[in-house]
Amino acid sequence: MHQEPHEPDRSRILLTGWFSFPDGEATAGDVLALRRVEDALRRAGLEYDVAWSPGFRPDAPHLTDVAPERYGRLVFVCGPLHGPQIEELHRRFAHCRRIAVGTSVIDPHGPAVTGFHRVLARDAPGAEPAPDLAAAAPGLPARPVVGVILTHGQHEYGAARRHDAVARRLTGWLHGKDCARLELETRLDTRDWRLCATPAQLEAVLRRLDLVVTDRLHGMVLALRAGTPALAVDPVEGGAKVTAQARACGWPALVPAERLAEDGAAELDRWWKWCLTCGREAARRCGEGFPAGAGRDGAEELVAALQATGGG
């Protein structure tokens, strides 16, 4: 039967959560809980829409824009049931049957809770807890884990510095990559829990990565020492220590600052693909070859020079 534009479809479901509010937030757990609910509804043949926060999904349907009269049922997924945002949902969608699922109930008598016709809580006072929805969400495809080691310093290079521009281009490019990004620092600190306190701690992280993106000499060297491919950018116009060290290590995945400015995305994409394929074995061989190359780095020459002065 033909429906008028604003005639309610009592079978239509609107899925909401804290990920729907303009001032809310989307967490990985909330989004996975939503995926679990979507999977269950699809298997049951139930039609639904999802309302997203415009700050998280600018191009998706937004809670502030949807017409409440289009829906007959509203589902709130995951998170705690409290606050004026949820109370406003009850007022705006008063004609809907409203159900909360996978939520935490703090105050069973609060209006955010009592406004629902049914609450399928994950935890509530006096009730046996249920597994969180995110735990049984559909499996996710593997994504590369990428360490990012950048520097904004090195003022000793003066007018040749391109560090800020390089960092902007790299981070902008990385933002569009479907990967897990982990910001790292080569700087050690025994007082700051966010930083590694020893080289061994940093190496333990580097060994577990798929790739390191860096504009630092030691970002590249320590990644290769750990057997992890490094996509390196020299942030100094004309090339400086990063370029020299890539040559010393025989490592090809290097992008000069000038090339990044000219054809940056294509060049980075090319080395990204190489690092995640052939580069894995190349990095492993490079790391294994470092001990064998001892003596070429100047340490043995230093000993000889000191002994020649009669102090050894």
Side-chain angles (χ1 to χ4, degrees):
M1 183 177 71
H2 174 72
Q3 287 186 343
E4 294 300 323
H6 297 298
E7 182 180 344
D9 180 356
R10 296 299 177 186
S11 68
R12 193 74 182 175
I13 302 165
L14 181 64
L15 300 182
T16 65
W18 286 100
F19 50 80
S20 304
F21 300 132
D23 54 351
E25 62 181 15
T27 70
D30 288 352
V31 173
L32 282 175
L34 171 66
R35 296 289 179 253
R36 171 72 175 104
V37 169
E38 288 185 284
D39 184 59
L41 296 186
R42 278 195 296 267
R43 286 188 283 107
L46 297 173
E47 294 187 354
Y48 64 88
D49 294 323
V50 180
W52 292 97
S53 167
F56 183 64
R57 295 276 178 87
D59 300 326
H62 301 149
L63 184 60
T64 52
D65 299 332
V66 300
E69 61 270 19
R70 291 192 57 216
Y71 301 94
R73 292 173 286 183
L74 178 139
V75 175
F76 190 89
V77 180
C78 198
L81 293 183
H82 78 98
Q85 299 100 320
I86 297 178
E87 293 174 29
E88 175 60 24
L89 276 184
H90 295 315
R91 288 188 289 269
R92 190 173 172 212
F93 293 86
H95 64 284
C96 290
R97 178 167 178 81
R98 299 177 300 283
I99 301 174
V101 60
T103 53
S104 293
V105 174
I106 300 168
D107 178 8
H109 306 294
V113 177
T114 59
F116 287 101
H117 295 90
R118 189 168 183 190
V119 175
L120 306 172
R122 66 185 172 193
D123 57 87
E128 189 69 19
D132 184 74
L133 290 166
L140 301 173
R143 292 292 182 263
V145 181
V146 180
V148 184
I149 306 176
L150 302 177
T151 176
H152 296 274
Q154 301 181 341
H155 293 276
E156 62 269 25
Y157 288 103
R161 290 184 72 255
R162 298 293 180 269
H163 295 64
D164 292 340
V166 164
R168 283 195 303 271
R169 289 190 175 93
L170 270 179
T171 53
W173 170 75
L174 275 170
H175 183 69
K177 286 295 183 184
D178 189 4
C179 64
R181 293 170 286 273
L182 182 62
E183 187 175 14
L184 297 173
E185 261 282 3
T186 58
R187 180 168 60 90
L188 304 178
D189 197 316
T190 58
R191 300 157 297 176
D192 188 340
W193 67 270
R194 294 167 296 184
L195 298 176
C196 293
T198 67
Q201 293 173 7
L202 179 58
E203 186 167 296
V205 176
L206 295 174
R207 286 188 180 278
R208 288 163 171 78
L209 300 177
D210 295 303
L211 171 65
V212 168
V213 174
T214 184
D215 65 356
R216 303 197 69 143
L217 180 155
H218 281 128
M220 177 182 65
V221 170
L222 298 182
L224 297 178
R225 171 187 162 91
T228 299
L231 199 174
V233 176
D234 194 322
V236 179
E237 184 176 358
K241 60 184 179 181
V242 176
T243 298
Q245 194 58 213
R247 181 179 177 184
C249 294
W251 185 249
L254 173 76
V255 181
E258 300 91 324
R259 188 66 182 271
L260 189 64
E262 297 168 2
D263 189 22
E267 188 76 353
L268 291 170
D269 286 341
R270 181 170 75 89
W271 285 117
W272 172 278
K273 183 177 180 180
W274 182 83
C275 283
L276 291 175
T277 53
C278 306
R280 296 177 187 271
E281 177 60 21
R284 185 189 65 79
R285 291 197 306 268
C286 191
E288 290 177 349
F290 279 169
R296 295 190 298 112
D297 57 7
E300 300 301 329
E301 292 180 52
L302 170 64
V303 172
L306 290 171
Q307 289 175 337
T309 64

